[in-house]
Amino acid sequence: MKKKRATPRRANAAETRLRAELDQTRRERDAQIAKLSADRERIHALYLLEVEENRKRADKLHRILENTGRINSELDPGALLQRLAETVATTLGFRIVLIRVREPGTSRLRACAFSGIEGPARAALQRTDLALEEFLSFLREEFKISESYFISHTQDFNKRLPPGYKPDLGPRAAGEWHEDDVLLVPLFNRSGELVAYFSLDDPVDRRVPTRDAIELLEIFGNHAVVAIENARLYAQLEARTHELEDAGRRMQEIQVLKNNFLSSVSHELRTPVSAIRAYVDMLSGVCAGSIDPERLQRFIAVVDEESQRLARLIESLLDLNRHDAGLIRPSYQEVDLGALVDESLELLTPIAQTGQIALKVTGRAADTRVDADRDQLRQLVLHLGSNAVKFTPAGGTVTFHLEGDDRDVTLQVEDTGIGIPEDELEKIFERFYQVDASLERRFGGTGLGLSICKSIVEWHGGSVLAESRPGSGSRFTVRLPRRHESGEGAGVAEESSASPTERRAEPEAHQAGR
Amino acid sequence: MAKGKILVVDDEIYIVHILDFSLGMEGYEVLTALDGEQAIEKARSEHPDLIVLDIMMPKLDGYETCKILKAGDDTKSIPVILLSAKGRNVDQKIGFEVGADDYITKPFSPRKLVERINALLGQSSPQRLQA
């Protein structure tokens, strides 16, 4: 009986134990299920988060690429840089963007484009270039993230801060942007030269940028380099095209000048020839016998005079050509300009007396010694003098005024003549230019005198200036450097140019080449 | 009695002198002017039978002078011979466009010019007498 009773009791206990174990197992299973499902949810959430992150990143990338398309089509360098700055600001989320660009061939970085920087700050940036070495010294290994440099405010490195400045860190969350942080994105071209850099501040999300964000910036940066270089090449191409166009235009102008010159030359040469031929025709004609001896003499005198004029004209032309070609080499010596004025006065006095014109010299006491070619200088003084006398009516005065300082000797020839209209002043040194051609011819001039004067003065490294008030007279001012530095500038003249110093140097360069 | 009155216009005084002489020898009365403005004045006041006109002159060149002469009622019938160093065809063409009756290129022979003048006046004299 006992056995019988004991058996069920034992059975009961076993059952209870089994149940308990079962419960336990069930609970554990439930817990595991719950944990698994929680895990799954967590993983799912993480997954969603990542998808969202990636989507955002893709979005950003997309926007960048969209912008690069537009940027690559921008060919004006200035506009391009501004667009780059704005794109960085809007697409990549920085309120303050500065782009400094290296001027090609220099080591200066110039502030070229801005976003979020206005007024005096902007002006100050534009004023001051940054030296390349200084910028490169910012790019320390410890700041480097990807290919960019995040310079944290915790670095006492920041040069913008006054000495002893302790940034106020405040109760900021980890990774929060500080106003003294800065992110530099240097842009290198394929040959490894720095082209430009972005300096970024004040991110919209107030966070220190992640490596991802920086990499995005760099992708954009790479496109920017290409765009900047393209724009530069395009600008160069444009400049070259303009240069070529300008050169073409100059060639045409020169052609026109040459044609005008030639037609003037031929007219001026033909005029005395016409007279000579006409008189010779009369002298040799059937009527020659009926010309009275006195008239005959006059005709012969005209032929003689006109042939002399022709010879003078040809001489002047050849002179000018020799000047132009640098064939006349001045022989420099100490010349007293004042003494040359005295000499010229002797020659001019008879003509001046005939025309009832007074000749005056002022400033004769000045030291007017100058290194010059004596013959050429005499030609210059004589021409300016006779020119003044020619265009001065009876009763007028021609004044020679001399001056000299340490550097220059100056001669002014002033008349009380008919003057030169203002719009013609620039042209009077042109060949065959005369306000009134016949007047000049009637006075036996060649129309080349003033342009020869100009050549002579420029050749001596000096300058000549014409001033005038029509009706009350003209004044020619010649300034000659006291000393002629023969060696100076000889090597500089590579291109022929109208500039006096270069023109002066030209003959020396020619000689060096011989 | 002079064969006719001829106005010679040139800014080259020697050319004026030689024309004065050669035309005078031929029996013409010669008037002279040194520029276009003077020429128009004299043409209006003196009514010459023919005008010898240089082209390249100050103030008013030969083309302009000729145009004005040929537009004036009292001067349009006066024959004009342009005398110029401008020898290109186009210069002659302009010359005839402004109404010139003949065109002679410098350098020129005064004797040939006299022949041309004789010919021109021989043709135009009867008309001019009517006018």
Side-chain angles (χ1 to χ4, degrees):
Chain A
M1 233 2 239
K2 249 189 173 176
K3 222 179 178 180
K4 265 187 182 175
R5 276 163 65 191
T7 307
R9 206 180 291 147
R10 270 203 308 272
N12 265 347
E15 194 186 321
T16 313
R17 205 170 59 243
L18 274 172
R19 272 184 201 281
E21 278 175 17
L22 192 66
D23 281 350
Q24 176 66 24
T25 313
R26 200 176 278 149
R27 267 196 307 277
E28 280 174 12
R29 191 202 58 191
D30 286 349
Q32 252 174 355
I33 286 171
K35 185 172 176 285
L36 272 174
S37 92
D39 275 357
R40 208 179 56 196
E41 265 170 39
R42 201 158 46 81
I43 287 166
H44 185 66
L46 279 175
Y47 167 77
L48 286 179
L49 204 66
E50 199 168 318
V51 165
E52 179 59 20
E53 284 282 300
N54 276 334
R55 199 186 55 78
K56 275 188 192 159
R57 209 170 157 225
D59 263 9
K60 236 178 195 176
L61 201 60
H62 181 69
R63 265 182 292 156
I64 288 171
L65 290 176
E66 232 178 26
N67 272 300
T68 28
R70 253 182 286 153
I71 280 158
N72 277 329
S73 61
E74 179 60 67
L75 290 171
D76 171 54
L80 167 72
L81 289 165
Q82 196 47 45
R83 184 168 277 188
L84 287 174
E86 279 156 15
T87 306
V88 172
T90 54
T91 312
L92 295 154
F94 288 89
R95 288 197 189 90
I96 294 177
V97 179
L98 161 69
I99 304 181
R100 274 192 189 269
V101 177
R102 183 177 176 186
E103 296 289 303
T106 72
S107 53
R108 312 294 303 169
L109 293 161
R110 174 154 300 163
C112 287
F114 312 83
S115 180
I117 308 172
E118 301 296 336
R122 184 178 187 144
L125 283 168
Q126 275 170 324
R127 259 199 314 277
T128 43
D129 291 353
L130 182 68
L132 179 66
E133 315 90 79
E134 196 179 350
F135 174 72
L136 293 177
S137 76
F138 299 163
L139 308 184
R140 291 199 205 157
E141 207 51 42
E142 64 259 38
F143 304 150
K144 194 167 180 182
I145 302 171
S146 180
E147 299 302 321
S148 302
Y149 297 81
F150 173 68
I151 304 179
S152 163
H153 63 284
T154 54
Q155 302 287 340
D156 59 357
F157 163 85
N158 202 324
K159 290 189 82 174
R160 294 176 301 173
L161 306 182
Y165 175 84
K166 288 265 190 287
D168 168 26
L169 297 184
R172 292 189 313 134
E176 192 179 325
W177 184 271
H178 184 274
E179 63 180 54
D180 292 320
D181 290 343
V182 65
L183 178 65
L184 300 177
V185 185
L187 310 179
F188 294 97
N189 67 10
R190 265 184 295 177
S191 9
E193 291 160 340
L194 184 83
V195 175
Y197 74 85
F198 297 155
S199 174
L200 307 172
D201 204 343
D202 199 3
V204 177
D205 58 6
R206 306 297 310 159
R207 308 290 305 165
V208 168
T210 61
R211 191 183 178 92
D212 267 5
I214 289 174
E215 280 173 356
L216 272 177
L217 259 169
E218 287 165 356
I219 291 172
F220 180 74
N222 290 337
H223 284 284
V225 172
V226 174
I228 291 171
E229 297 218 306
N230 278 349
R232 269 191 191 155
L233 283 174
Y234 184 76
Q236 271 176 17
L237 199 69
E238 284 236 295
R240 200 67 49 82
T241 311
H242 280 306
E243 270 170 37
L244 282 173
E245 280 169 359
D246 282 352
R249 256 195 300 280
R250 271 203 305 280
M251 287 292 283
Q252 275 180 346
E253 280 168 18
I254 288 170
Q255 193 63 39
V256 168
L257 279 178
K258 204 182 97 186
N259 288 343
N260 289 348
F261 177 68
L262 277 178
S263 83
S264 300
V265 166
S266 55
H267 179 76
E268 296 299 320
L269 289 174
R270 262 196 207 125
T271 305
V273 169
S274 296
I276 293 166
R277 291 277 295 275
Y279 280 78
V280 169
D281 180 73
M282 288 308 291
L283 288 168
S284 63
V286 277
C287 50
S290 57
I291 304 175
D292 60 273
E294 195 194 323
R295 185 163 266 150
L296 202 64
Q297 282 303 311
R298 259 201 350 249
F299 282 12
I300 292 169
V302 169
V303 170
D304 188 40
E305 229 175 81
E306 288 292 89
S307 58
Q308 277 183 33
R309 190 169 114 197
L310 193 59
R312 266 202 313 276
L313 195 61
I314 291 168
E315 241 0 87
S316 299
L317 275 173
L318 290 174
D319 252 16
L320 260 185
N321 187 47
R322 282 194 289 261
H323 274 282
D324 286 352
L327 294 173
I328 298 180
R329 303 186 44 72
S331 64
Y332 290 98
Q333 51 178 299
E334 192 180 274
V335 180
D336 183 359
L337 189 60
L340 283 183
V341 168
D342 291 342
E343 270 178 47
S344 303
L345 280 186
E346 274 179 39
L347 292 168
L348 291 171
T349 304
I351 317 169
Q353 278 171 350
T354 317
Q356 294 173 300
I357 294 157
L359 296 177
K360 262 187 9 197
V361 183
T362 59
R364 188 64 190 85
D367 177 5
T368 53
R369 285 170 304 169
V370 58
D371 270 354
D373 184 298
R374 194 182 169 76
D375 291 339
Q376 287 186 19
L377 219 54
R378 191 187 4 232
Q379 199 186 341
L380 172 76
V381 174
L382 198 58
H383 183 82
L384 288 177
S386 59
N387 202 54
V389 169
K390 248 190 282 182
F391 293 105
T392 302
T397 308
V398 172
T399 309
F400 293 78
H401 178 68
L402 292 156
E403 258 174 51
D405 59 25
D406 289 349
R407 290 185 52 224
D408 301 319
V409 172
T410 308
L411 168 67
Q412 286 188 331
V413 182
E414 193 169 356
D415 63 53
T416 55
I418 53 178
I420 305 157
E422 199 177 339
D423 56 328
E424 314 217 22
L425 269 177
E426 276 177 26
K427 300 187 216 149
I428 55 168
F429 293 105
E430 284 171 18
R431 283 148 203 206
F432 292 123
Y433 185 82
Q434 286 137 5
V435 178
D436 183 341
S438 69
L439 194 57
E440 172 85 18
R441 255 185 271 135
R442 223 169 285 161
F443 286 114
T446 56
L448 293 171
L450 281 177
S451 57
I452 291 177
C453 284
K454 188 171 178 236
S455 290
I456 292 173
V457 173
E458 288 184 345
W459 215 1
H460 283 80
S463 61
V464 57
L465 173 77
E467 298 159 286
S468 182
R469 278 213 313 277
S472 60
S474 312
R475 181 167 64 193
F476 288 81
T477 304
V478 171
R479 193 179 298 273
L480 296 167
R482 202 179 273 282
R483 303 231 64 82
H484 169 73
E485 285 112 23
S486 51
E488 187 195 69
V492 187
E494 283 169 0
E495 287 170 51
S496 90
S497 149
S499 127
T501 47
E502 285 184 358
R503 216 187 245 207
R504 185 157 55 108
E506 232 172 1
E508 277 124 4
H510 277 296
Q511 202 192 34
R514 269 177 214 151
Chain B
M1 181 63 199
K3 278 167 79 179
K5 232 195 280 185
I6 295 174
L7 173 60
V8 172
V9 191
D10 201 313
D11 59 329
E12 282 295 310
I13 194 75
Y14 293 141
I15 298 291
V16 172
H17 282 165
I18 198 73
L19 287 177
D20 183 10
F21 174 74
S22 50
L23 290 167
M25 291 265 297
E26 194 65 23
Y28 289 105
E29 183 189 340
V30 182
L31 307 163
T32 60
L34 290 172
D35 61 56
E37 282 174 10
Q38 269 184 34
I40 289 165
E41 231 170 80
K42 290 212 173 164
R44 282 178 185 156
S45 61
E46 305 279 337
H47 300 289
D49 297 290
L50 185 139
I51 299 171
V52 178
L53 186 59
D54 181 34
I55 292 177
M56 285 171 81
M57 286 186 301
K59 291 183 192 166
L60 204 60
D61 72 15
Y63 292 139
E64 287 302 313
T65 308
C66 189
K67 237 194 267 181
I68 292 168
L69 289 171
K70 290 297 179 184
D73 279 340
D74 50 344
T75 52
K76 67 178 166 200
S77 56
I78 307 172
V80 172
I81 299 180
L82 284 176
L83 181 64
S84 172
K86 286 169 154 276
R88 295 175 306 163
N89 283 340
V90 55
D91 298 319
Q92 293 204 23
K93 203 170 157 259
I94 298 170
F96 290 118
E97 273 169 15
V98 297
D101 298 80
D102 206 345
Y103 192 106
I104 290 176
T105 311
K106 286 183 186 172
F108 68 104
S109 152
R111 288 179 289 150
K112 293 224 172 80
L113 177 67
V114 168
E115 282 168 25
R116 290 279 258 286
I117 290 171
N118 284 339
L120 260 173
L121 285 185
Q123 274 175 4
S124 57
S125 305
Q127 284 176 347
R128 285 195 46 73
L129 286 175
Q130 282 164 18

